[in-house]
Amino acid sequence: MASLKIFRLLPVVDETDPRWNNAENQGEVVVRAHSAADARIVAAAAEGDFLDIKAAPADGNSTRTFSAFRDDKLYTVVEDTKATYRSDGDRAVLSGHIRPVILSTRQRDTAT
């Protein structure tokens, strides 16, 4: 098995930024993955999906592509070279608590 790399996914915008209206801020997450792009996929896969809970928005449509981890305006990905985590092993989330959020349910007060 080839060694993978360790990546940190870090939120890059403030909690009040309207881009969080459609996605939950999961905080910093550390993953073992092949690349920065793969790190986004590993983190997104740890979230829930409508298909996993039998509540699909339409037959056969996944919500994994809507994860905040896949949005470069919400999360940046940096390689962690500190050797805090071992690079050998499976692709996985190593640190951080990923809630099984599919799409944000946060409501903003839009009254004027």
Side-chain angles (χ1 to χ4, degrees):
M1 176 189 305
S3 288
L4 302 177
K5 296 179 181 178
I6 306 302
F7 295 94
R8 292 185 179 279
L9 288 88
L10 305 161
V12 292
V13 294
D14 186 79
E15 280 280 337
T16 60
D17 191 292
R19 286 177 275 215
W20 290 117
N21 287 347
N22 293 329
E24 183 89 12
N25 182 344
Q26 303 276 19
E28 180 178 337
V29 174
V30 179
V31 302
R32 184 184 304 117
H34 294 286
S35 65
D38 188 44
R40 291 181 184 278
I41 293 167
V42 171
E47 291 179 311
D49 185 32
F50 277 120
L51 298 178
D52 295 340
I53 62 170
K54 298 178 184 175
D59 291 337
N61 290 335
S62 174
T63 54
R64 293 216 193 278
T65 58
F66 298 106
S67 171
F69 295 120
R70 296 180 70 129
D71 187 339
D72 64 353
K73 302 288 192 268
L74 294 174
Y75 274 89
T76 190
V77 181
V78 294
E79 186 175 350
D80 183 343
T81 58
K82 296 178 186 173
T84 306
Y85 300 93
R86 295 175 53 108
S87 60
D88 57 329
D90 294 333
R91 294 167 61 244
V93 174
L94 304 174
S95 174
H97 177 70
I98 298 181
R99 295 175 297 284
V101 173
I102 298 159
L103 296 174
S104 179
T105 57
R106 180 172 56 166
Q107 298 291 320
R108 294 203 182 269
D109 183 7
T110 56
T112 56

